[in-house]
Coordinates of all heavy atoms in Angstrom, one line a residue:
M104 N -163.2 -54.4 47.2 CA -163.5 -55.5 46.2 C -162.3 -55.7 45.4 O -161.6 -54.8 45.0 CB -164.7 -55.0 45.3 CG -165.1 -56.0 44.3 SD -166.5 -55.5 43.3 CE -165.7 -54.5 42.1
K105 N -162.1 -57.0 45.1 CA -160.9 -57.4 44.3 C -161.5 -58.2 43.0 O -162.5 -58.9 43.2 CB -160.1 -58.4 45.1 CG -159.0 -59.1 44.3 CD -157.8 -58.3 44.2 CE -156.6 -59.1 43.7 NZ -155.7 -58.4 43.0
Q106 N -160.9 -57.9 41.9 CA -161.3 -58.6 40.7 C -160.2 -59.5 40.1 O -159.1 -59.0 40.0 CB -161.8 -57.7 39.6 CG -162.4 -58.4 38.4 CD -163.0 -57.4 37.4 OE1 -162.3 -56.5 36.8 NE2 -164.3 -57.5 37.2
V107 N -160.5 -60.7 39.8 CA -159.5 -61.6 39.2 C -160.1 -62.3 38.0 O -161.4 -62.4 37.9 CB -159.0 -62.7 40.2 CG1 -158.1 -62.1 41.3 CG2 -160.1 -63.5 40.8
T108 N -159.3 -62.8 37.1 CA -159.8 -63.5 35.9 C -159.6 -65.0 36.2 O -158.5 -65.4 36.5 CB -159.1 -63.1 34.7 OG1 -159.3 -61.6 34.5 CG2 -159.7 -63.7 33.4
I109 N -160.7 -65.8 36.0 CA -160.6 -67.2 36.2 C -161.0 -68.0 35.0 O -161.7 -67.4 34.1 CB -161.5 -67.7 37.4 CG1 -162.9 -67.4 37.2 CG2 -161.0 -67.0 38.7 CD1 -163.8 -68.0 38.2
S110 N -160.7 -69.3 34.9 CA -161.1 -70.1 33.8 C -161.8 -71.4 34.4 O -161.3 -72.0 35.3 CB -159.9 -70.6 33.0 OG -160.2 -71.5 32.0
L111 N -163.0 -71.6 34.0 CA -163.8 -72.8 34.4 C -164.2 -73.5 33.1 O -165.3 -73.5 32.7 CB -165.1 -72.3 35.1 CG -164.8 -71.5 36.4 CD1 -166.2 -71.0 36.9 CD2 -164.1 -72.3 37.5
N112 N -163.2 -74.2 32.6 CA -163.4 -74.8 31.2 C -163.8 -76.3 31.3 O -163.7 -77.0 30.3 CB -162.2 -74.6 30.4 CG -160.9 -75.1 31.1 OD1 -160.9 -75.7 32.1 ND2 -159.8 -74.8 30.5
S113 N -164.2 -76.8 32.5 CA -164.7 -78.2 32.5 C -165.7 -78.3 33.6 O -165.8 -77.5 34.6 CB -163.5 -79.2 32.8 OG -163.1 -79.1 34.1
I114 N -166.5 -79.3 33.5 CA -167.6 -79.5 34.5 C -167.0 -79.8 35.9 O -167.5 -79.3 36.9 CB -168.5 -80.7 34.1 CG1 -169.3 -80.3 32.8 CG2 -169.5 -81.1 35.2 CD1 -170.1 -81.4 32.2
D115 N -165.9 -80.6 36.0 CA -165.3 -80.9 37.3 C -164.7 -79.6 37.9 O -164.8 -79.4 39.1 CB -164.2 -81.9 37.1 CG -164.8 -83.3 36.7 OD1 -165.9 -83.5 37.1 OD2 -164.0 -84.0 36.1
K116 N -164.2 -78.7 37.1 CA -163.6 -77.4 37.6 C -164.8 -76.6 38.1 O -164.6 -75.9 39.2 CB -162.9 -76.7 36.5 CG -161.4 -76.6 36.6 CD -160.8 -75.7 35.5 CE -159.5 -75.2 36.0 NZ -158.8 -74.5 35.0
V117 N -165.9 -76.5 37.5 CA -167.0 -75.7 38.0 C -167.5 -76.3 39.3 O -167.7 -75.5 40.3 CB -168.2 -75.7 36.9 CG1 -169.5 -75.1 37.5 CG2 -167.8 -75.0 35.7
K118 N -167.6 -77.6 39.4 CA -168.1 -78.2 40.7 C -167.1 -77.9 41.8 O -167.6 -77.5 42.9 CB -168.3 -79.7 40.5 CG -169.5 -80.1 39.7 CD -169.8 -81.6 39.9 CE -169.4 -82.3 38.6 NZ -169.7 -83.8 38.7
S119 N -165.8 -78.1 41.6 CA -164.9 -77.8 42.7 C -164.8 -76.3 43.0 O -164.6 -76.0 44.2 CB -163.5 -78.4 42.3 OG -163.0 -77.8 41.2
F120 N -165.0 -75.5 42.0 CA -165.0 -74.0 42.2 C -166.1 -73.6 43.1 O -165.9 -72.9 44.1 CB -165.1 -73.3 40.9 CG -165.2 -71.8 41.0 CD1 -164.2 -71.0 41.4 CD2 -166.5 -71.2 40.9 CE1 -164.4 -69.6 41.5 CE2 -166.7 -69.9 41.0 CZ -165.6 -69.1 41.4
V121 N -167.3 -74.1 42.8 CA -168.5 -73.8 43.7 C -168.3 -74.3 45.1 O -168.6 -73.6 46.1 CB -169.8 -74.4 43.0 CG1 -171.0 -74.2 44.0 CG2 -170.1 -73.6 41.7
N122 N -167.8 -75.5 45.2 CA -167.5 -76.1 46.6 C -166.5 -75.2 47.3 O -166.6 -75.0 48.5 CB -166.9 -77.5 46.5 CG -168.0 -78.5 46.1 OD1 -169.2 -78.3 46.4 ND2 -167.6 -79.6 45.5
D123 N -165.5 -74.7 46.6 CA -164.5 -73.8 47.3 C -165.0 -72.5 47.7 O -164.8 -72.0 48.8 CB -163.3 -73.6 46.3 CG -162.4 -74.9 46.2 OD1 -162.6 -75.8 47.0 OD2 -161.6 -75.0 45.2
V124 N -165.8 -71.8 46.8 CA -166.3 -70.5 47.2 C -167.4 -70.5 48.2 O -167.5 -69.6 49.0 CB -166.8 -69.7 45.9 CG1 -165.6 -69.4 45.0 CG2 -167.9 -70.3 45.2
T125 N -168.1 -71.6 48.3 CA -169.2 -71.7 49.3 C -168.6 -71.9 50.7 O -169.3 -71.7 51.7 CB -170.2 -72.9 49.1 OG1 -169.5 -74.1 48.9 CG2 -171.0 -72.6 47.8
K126 N -167.3 -72.2 50.9 CA -166.7 -72.3 52.2 C -166.5 -70.9 52.8 O -166.3 -70.8 54.0 CB -165.3 -72.9 52.0 CG -165.3 -74.4 51.6 CD -163.9 -74.9 51.4 CE -164.0 -76.3 50.8 NZ -162.6 -76.7 50.3
F127 N -166.6 -69.8 52.0 CA -166.4 -68.5 52.5 C -167.7 -67.8 52.7 O -168.6 -67.9 51.8 CB -165.5 -67.7 51.6 CG -164.1 -68.2 51.5 CD1 -163.7 -69.0 50.4 CD2 -163.1 -68.0 52.5 CE1 -162.4 -69.5 50.3 CE2 -161.9 -68.5 52.4 CZ -161.5 -69.3 51.3
D128 N -167.8 -67.0 53.8 CA -169.0 -66.3 54.1 C -168.9 -64.8 53.5 O -168.8 -63.9 54.2 CB -169.3 -66.2 55.6 CG -170.6 -65.6 55.9 OD1 -171.5 -65.6 55.0 OD2 -170.7 -64.9 57.0
T129 N -168.8 -64.8 52.2 CA -168.7 -63.5 51.4 C -169.3 -63.7 50.1 O -169.7 -64.8 49.7 CB -167.2 -63.1 51.3 OG1 -167.1 -61.8 50.8 CG2 -166.4 -64.0 50.4
D130 N -169.5 -62.5 49.4 CA -170.2 -62.6 48.1 C -169.2 -62.6 47.0 O -168.1 -61.9 47.0 CB -171.1 -61.3 47.9 CG -172.3 -61.3 48.8 OD1 -172.8 -62.4 49.1 OD2 -172.7 -60.2 49.2
F131 N -169.5 -63.5 46.0 CA -168.6 -63.6 44.8 C -169.5 -63.4 43.6 O -170.6 -64.1 43.5 CB -168.0 -65.0 44.7 CG -167.1 -65.4 45.8 CD1 -167.5 -65.9 47.0 CD2 -165.7 -65.1 45.7 CE1 -166.6 -66.2 48.0 CE2 -164.8 -65.4 46.7 CZ -165.3 -66.0 47.9
D132 N -169.1 -62.6 42.7 CA -169.9 -62.4 41.4 C -169.0 -62.8 40.2 O -167.9 -62.4 40.2 CB -170.3 -60.9 41.2 CG -171.3 -60.5 42.3 OD1 -172.1 -61.3 42.7 OD2 -171.3 -59.3 42.6
L133 N -169.6 -63.5 39.3 CA -169.0 -63.8 38.0 C -169.5 -62.9 37.0 O -170.7 -62.7 36.8 CB -169.2 -65.3 37.6 CG -168.4 -66.3 38.4 CD1 -168.9 -67.7 38.1 CD2 -166.9 -66.2 38.2
I134 N -168.6 -62.2 36.2 CA -169.1 -61.3 35.2 C -168.6 -61.8 33.8 O -167.4 -62.0 33.6 CB -168.5 -59.9 35.4 CG1 -169.1 -59.3 36.7 CG2 -168.9 -58.9 34.3 CD1 -168.2 -59.4 37.8
S135 N -169.5 -62.0 32.9 CA -169.2 -62.5 31.6 C -170.1 -61.6 30.6 O -171.3 -61.8 30.5 CB -169.6 -63.9 31.4 OG -169.3 -64.3 30.1
G136 N -169.4 -60.6 30.0 CA -170.2 -59.7 29.1 C -171.1 -58.9 29.9 O -170.7 -58.2 30.9
R137 N -172.4 -58.9 29.6 CA -173.3 -58.1 30.4 C -174.0 -58.9 31.5 O -174.9 -58.4 32.2 CB -174.4 -57.5 29.4 CG -175.2 -58.6 28.7 CD -176.1 -57.9 27.6 NE -176.8 -58.9 26.9 CZ -178.1 -59.1 27.1 NH1 -178.8 -58.4 27.9 NH2 -178.7 -60.1 26.3
Y138 N -173.6 -60.1 31.7 CA -174.2 -61.0 32.7 C -173.4 -61.0 34.0 O -172.2 -61.1 34.0 CB -174.4 -62.4 32.2 CG -175.2 -62.6 31.0 CD1 -174.7 -62.8 29.7 CD2 -176.6 -62.5 31.1 CE1 -175.5 -62.9 28.6 CE2 -177.4 -62.6 30.0 CZ -176.8 -62.8 28.7 OH -177.6 -62.9 27.6
V139 N -174.1 -60.8 35.1 CA -173.5 -60.9 36.4 C -174.2 -62.1 37.2 O -175.4 -62.0 37.4 CB -173.7 -59.6 37.2 CG1 -173.1 -59.8 38.6 CG2 -173.0 -58.5 36.5
I140 N -173.5 -63.1 37.6 CA -174.0 -64.3 38.2 C -173.4 -64.5 39.6 O -172.2 -64.2 39.8 CB -173.7 -65.5 37.3 CG1 -174.2 -65.4 35.9 CG2 -174.1 -66.8 37.9 CD1 -175.7 -65.4 35.8
D141 N -174.2 -65.0 40.5 CA -173.7 -65.4 41.8 C -172.8 -66.6 41.6 O -173.2 -67.6 41.1 CB -174.9 -65.7 42.7 CG -174.4 -66.1 44.1 OD1 -173.2 -66.1 44.4 OD2 -175.3 -66.5 44.9
A142 N -171.5 -66.4 42.1 CA -170.5 -67.5 41.8 C -170.8 -68.8 42.7 O -170.2 -69.8 42.4 CB -169.1 -67.0 42.2
K143 N -171.7 -68.7 43.6 CA -172.1 -69.8 44.4 C -173.2 -70.6 43.8 O -173.7 -71.6 44.3 CB -172.5 -69.4 45.8 CG -171.3 -68.8 46.6 CD -171.6 -68.4 48.0 CE -170.4 -67.8 48.7 NZ -170.8 -67.4 50.0
S144 N -173.7 -70.2 42.6 CA -174.8 -70.8 41.9 C -174.3 -71.6 40.8 O -173.9 -71.1 39.7 CB -175.8 -69.7 41.4 OG -176.7 -70.3 40.5
I145 N -174.3 -72.9 41.0 CA -173.8 -73.8 39.9 C -174.7 -73.7 38.6 O -174.1 -73.7 37.5 CB -173.7 -75.3 40.4 CG1 -172.8 -76.1 39.5 CG2 -175.0 -75.9 40.6 CD1 -172.2 -77.3 40.1
M146 N -176.0 -73.6 38.8 CA -176.8 -73.4 37.6 C -176.5 -72.1 36.9 O -176.5 -72.0 35.7 CB -178.3 -73.5 38.0 CG -178.7 -74.8 38.5 SD -178.5 -76.2 37.3 CE -179.8 -75.8 36.2
G147 N -176.3 -71.0 37.7 CA -176.0 -69.8 37.1 C -174.7 -69.8 36.3 O -174.6 -69.3 35.2
I148 N -173.7 -70.5 36.8 CA -172.4 -70.6 36.1 C -172.5 -71.3 34.8 O -172.0 -70.9 33.8 CB -171.4 -71.3 37.0 CG1 -171.0 -70.4 38.2 CG2 -170.1 -71.6 36.3 CD1 -170.2 -71.1 39.3
F149 N -173.4 -72.4 34.8 CA -173.5 -73.1 33.5 C -174.3 -72.4 32.5 O -174.3 -72.7 31.3 CB -174.2 -74.5 33.8 CG -173.2 -75.5 34.3 CD1 -173.4 -76.1 35.6 CD2 -172.1 -75.9 33.6 CE1 -172.6 -77.1 36.1 CE2 -171.2 -76.8 34.1 CZ -171.4 -77.4 35.3
S150 N -174.9 -71.2 32.9 CA -175.6 -70.4 31.9 C -174.6 -69.5 31.2 O -175.0 -68.8 30.2 CB -176.7 -69.6 32.6 OG -176.2 -68.6 33.4
L151 N -173.4 -69.4 31.6 CA -172.4 -68.5 31.0 C -171.6 -69.3 29.9 O -171.6 -70.5 29.9 CB -171.4 -68.1 32.1 CG -171.9 -67.2 33.2 CD1 -170.8 -67.0 34.3 CD2 -172.5 -65.9 32.7
D152 N -170.9 -68.5 29.1 CA -170.0 -69.1 28.1 C -168.7 -69.4 28.8 O -167.9 -68.5 29.1 CB -169.8 -68.0 27.0 CG -168.8 -68.5 25.9 OD1 -168.5 -69.7 25.9 OD2 -168.4 -67.7 25.1
L153 N -168.5 -70.7 29.0 CA -167.3 -71.1 29.8 C -166.1 -71.4 29.0 O -165.1 -71.8 29.5 CB -167.7 -72.4 30.6 CG -168.8 -72.2 31.6 CD1 -169.1 -73.5 32.3 CD2 -168.5 -71.1 32.7
S154 N -166.2 -71.1 27.7 CA -165.0 -71.3 26.8 C -164.0 -70.2 26.9 O -162.9 -70.4 26.5 CB -165.5 -71.5 25.3 OG -166.1 -70.3 24.9
N155 N -164.4 -69.1 27.5 CA -163.6 -67.9 27.6 C -163.4 -67.7 29.1 O -164.2 -68.0 29.9 CB -164.2 -66.7 27.0 CG -164.3 -66.8 25.5 OD1 -163.5 -67.3 24.9 ND2 -165.5 -66.3 25.0
P156 N -162.2 -67.0 29.5 CA -162.1 -66.7 30.9 C -163.2 -65.7 31.4 O -163.7 -65.0 30.6 CB -160.7 -66.0 30.9 CG -160.0 -66.5 29.7 CD -161.1 -66.7 28.7
I157 N -163.4 -65.8 32.7 CA -164.5 -65.0 33.3 C -163.9 -64.1 34.4 O -163.0 -64.6 35.1 CB -165.6 -66.0 33.9 CG1 -166.1 -66.9 32.8 CG2 -166.8 -65.2 34.5 CD1 -166.9 -68.1 33.4
N158 N -164.5 -62.9 34.6 CA -164.1 -62.1 35.7 C -164.8 -62.5 37.0 O -166.0 -62.7 36.9 CB -164.3 -60.6 35.4 CG -163.4 -60.1 34.3 OD1 -162.3 -60.5 34.2 ND2 -163.9 -59.2 33.5
L159 N -164.1 -62.5 38.1 CA -164.6 -62.9 39.4 C -164.4 -61.7 40.3 O -163.3 -61.3 40.5 CB -164.0 -64.1 40.0 CG -164.3 -64.5 41.4 CD1 -165.8 -64.9 41.5 CD2 -163.4 -65.5 42.0
N160 N -165.5 -61.1 40.8 CA -165.4 -60.1 41.8 C -165.6 -60.7 43.2 O -166.5 -61.4 43.5 CB -166.5 -59.0 41.6 CG -166.3 -58.1 40.5 OD1 -165.2 -58.1 39.9 ND2 -167.3 -57.4 40.1
I161 N -164.6 -60.4 44.1 CA -164.6 -60.9 45.5 C -164.9 -59.7 46.4 O -164.2 -58.7 46.4 CB -163.2 -61.5 45.8 CG1 -162.8 -62.5 44.9 CG2 -163.3 -62.0 47.3 CD1 -161.4 -62.9 44.9
H162 N -166.1 -59.7 47.0 CA -166.5 -58.6 47.9 C -166.1 -58.8 49.3 O -166.9 -58.9 50.2 CB -168.1 -58.5 47.8 CG -168.6 -58.3 46.4 ND1 -168.6 -57.0 45.8 CD2 -169.1 -59.1 45.5 CE1 -169.1 -57.1 44.6 NE2 -169.4 -58.4 44.4
N163 N -164.8 -58.9 49.5 CA -164.2 -59.1 50.9 C -162.8 -58.6 50.9 O -162.0 -59.0 50.0 CB -164.3 -60.6 51.3 CG -164.0 -60.8 52.7 OD1 -163.3 -60.0 53.3 ND2 -164.4 -61.9 53.3
E164 N -162.4 -57.8 51.8 CA -161.0 -57.4 51.9 C -160.3 -58.1 53.0 O -159.1 -58.0 53.1 CB -161.0 -55.8 52.1 CG -161.6 -55.0 50.9 CD -160.8 -55.2 49.7 OE1 -159.6 -55.3 49.7 OE2 -161.4 -55.1 48.6
E165 N -161.0 -58.6 54.0 CA -160.4 -59.2 55.2 C -159.7 -60.5 54.9 O -158.5 -60.6 55.2 CB -161.4 -59.4 56.3 CG -162.1 -58.1 56.7 CD -163.3 -58.3 57.5 OE1 -163.6 -59.5 57.9 OE2 -164.1 -57.3 57.7
N166 N -160.3 -61.5 54.3 CA -159.8 -62.8 54.1 C -159.2 -63.0 52.7 O -159.1 -64.1 52.2 CB -160.8 -63.9 54.3 CG -161.5 -63.9 55.7 OD1 -161.1 -63.1 56.5 ND2 -162.5 -64.7 55.8
L167 N -158.8 -61.9 52.1 CA -158.4 -61.9 50.7 C -157.3 -62.9 50.4 O -157.4 -63.6 49.4 CB -158.1 -60.5 50.2 CG -158.1 -60.3 48.7 CD1 -159.5 -60.7 48.1 CD2 -157.9 -58.8 48.4
D168 N -156.3 -62.9 51.2 CA -155.1 -63.8 51.0 C -155.6 -65.3 51.0 O -155.2 -66.1 50.2 CB -154.0 -63.5 52.0 CG -153.4 -62.2 51.8 OD1 -153.4 -61.7 50.6 OD2 -152.8 -61.7 52.7
A169 N -156.4 -65.6 52.0 CA -156.9 -67.0 52.1 C -157.8 -67.4 50.9 O -157.7 -68.5 50.4 CB -157.7 -67.2 53.4
I170 N -158.6 -66.4 50.5 CA -159.5 -66.7 49.4 C -158.7 -66.9 48.1 O -158.9 -67.8 47.3 CB -160.5 -65.5 49.2 CG1 -161.5 -65.5 50.4 CG2 -161.3 -65.6 47.9 CD1 -162.4 -64.3 50.4
L171 N -157.7 -66.0 47.8 CA -156.9 -66.1 46.6 C -156.1 -67.4 46.6 O -155.9 -68.0 45.6 CB -156.0 -64.9 46.5 CG -156.7 -63.6 46.2 CD1 -155.7 -62.4 46.2 CD2 -157.5 -63.7 44.8
E172 N -155.7 -67.8 47.8 CA -154.9 -69.1 47.9 C -155.8 -70.3 47.4 O -155.4 -71.2 46.7 CB -154.4 -69.3 49.3 CG -153.5 -70.5 49.5 CD -152.2 -70.4 48.6 OE1 -151.7 -69.2 48.5 OE2 -151.7 -71.4 48.2
V173 N -157.1 -70.3 47.9 CA -158.0 -71.4 47.5 C -158.3 -71.3 46.0 O -158.5 -72.3 45.4 CB -159.3 -71.3 48.4 CG1 -160.3 -72.2 47.9 CG2 -158.9 -71.6 49.8
L174 N -158.4 -70.1 45.5 CA -158.8 -69.9 44.1 C -157.6 -70.0 43.1 O -157.9 -69.9 41.9 CB -159.5 -68.5 43.9 CG -160.8 -68.4 44.7 CD1 -161.4 -67.0 44.4 CD2 -161.8 -69.4 44.3
K175 N -156.4 -70.2 43.6 CA -155.2 -70.2 42.8 C -155.4 -71.2 41.6 O -154.9 -70.9 40.5 CB -154.0 -70.6 43.6 CG -152.7 -70.2 42.9 CD -151.6 -70.5 43.8 CE -151.3 -69.3 44.7 NZ -150.1 -69.4 45.5
P176 N -156.0 -72.4 41.7 CA -156.0 -73.3 40.6 C -156.9 -72.8 39.4 O -156.8 -73.2 38.3 CB -156.7 -74.6 41.1 CG -156.5 -74.5 42.6 CD -156.4 -73.0 42.9
Y177 N -157.8 -71.8 39.7 CA -158.7 -71.3 38.7 C -158.3 -70.0 38.1 O -158.8 -69.6 37.0 CB -160.1 -71.1 39.3 CG -160.6 -72.2 40.2 CD1 -160.5 -72.2 41.6 CD2 -161.0 -73.4 39.6 CE1 -160.9 -73.2 42.4 CE2 -161.4 -74.5 40.4 CZ -161.4 -74.4 41.8 OH -161.7 -75.4 42.6
I178 N -157.4 -69.3 38.7 CA -156.9 -68.0 38.2 C -156.1 -68.1 37.0 O -155.2 -68.9 37.0 CB -156.2 -67.2 39.4 CG1 -157.2 -66.9 40.5 CG2 -155.6 -65.9 38.8 CD1 -156.6 -66.3 41.7
V179 N -156.4 -67.3 36.0 CA -155.6 -67.3 34.7 C -154.4 -66.4 34.9 O -154.5 -65.3 35.3 CB -156.5 -66.8 33.6 CG1 -155.7 -66.8 32.3 CG2 -157.7 -67.7 33.5

């Protein structure tokens, strides 16, 4: 598992982020405080406080380089 910090501070960023992570057949969790949300759930993401950076757990070691390359625009 790999953890990175991302910023989703606009509606357009959230939409493009969900589109990007759904391309991968792996689990992604967003952690904000005590909440853990499936990163592929757009409704779940909007329930978080998006004004602060959020931790993203990537549950995949195989395609990690490809995943991080796609997520580069969101990583803080």
Side-chain angles (χ1 to χ4, degrees):
M104 184 178 78
K105 170 87 171 152
Q106 186 174 60
V107 293
T108 303
I109 62 169
S110 176
L111 300 173
N112 53 8
S113 73
I114 293 171
D115 291 332
K116 248 184 161 176
V117 171
K118 284 194 252 181
S119 62
F120 172 79
V121 171
N122 286 335
D123 288 343
V124 295
T125 53
K126 294 175 187 171
F127 296 101
D128 186 28
T129 188
D130 291 330
F131 296 88
D132 293 329
L133 287 171
I134 295 101
S135 177
R137 61 187 177 106
Y138 299 105
V139 178
I140 302 293
D141 180 3
K143 295 180 180 180
S144 166
I145 196 162
M146 294 300 289
I148 293 173
F149 281 122
S150 71
L151 298 175
D152 177 13
L153 299 177
S154 63
N155 298 318
I157 304 167
N158 291 325
L159 173 68
N160 284 348
I161 304 165
H162 299 280
N163 188 337
E164 297 295 328
E165 298 164 13
N166 303 353
L167 198 53
D168 291 337
I170 293 170
L171 290 175
E172 187 62 34
V173 169
L174 296 180
K175 197 176 274 188
Y177 314 103
I178 296 176
V179 179

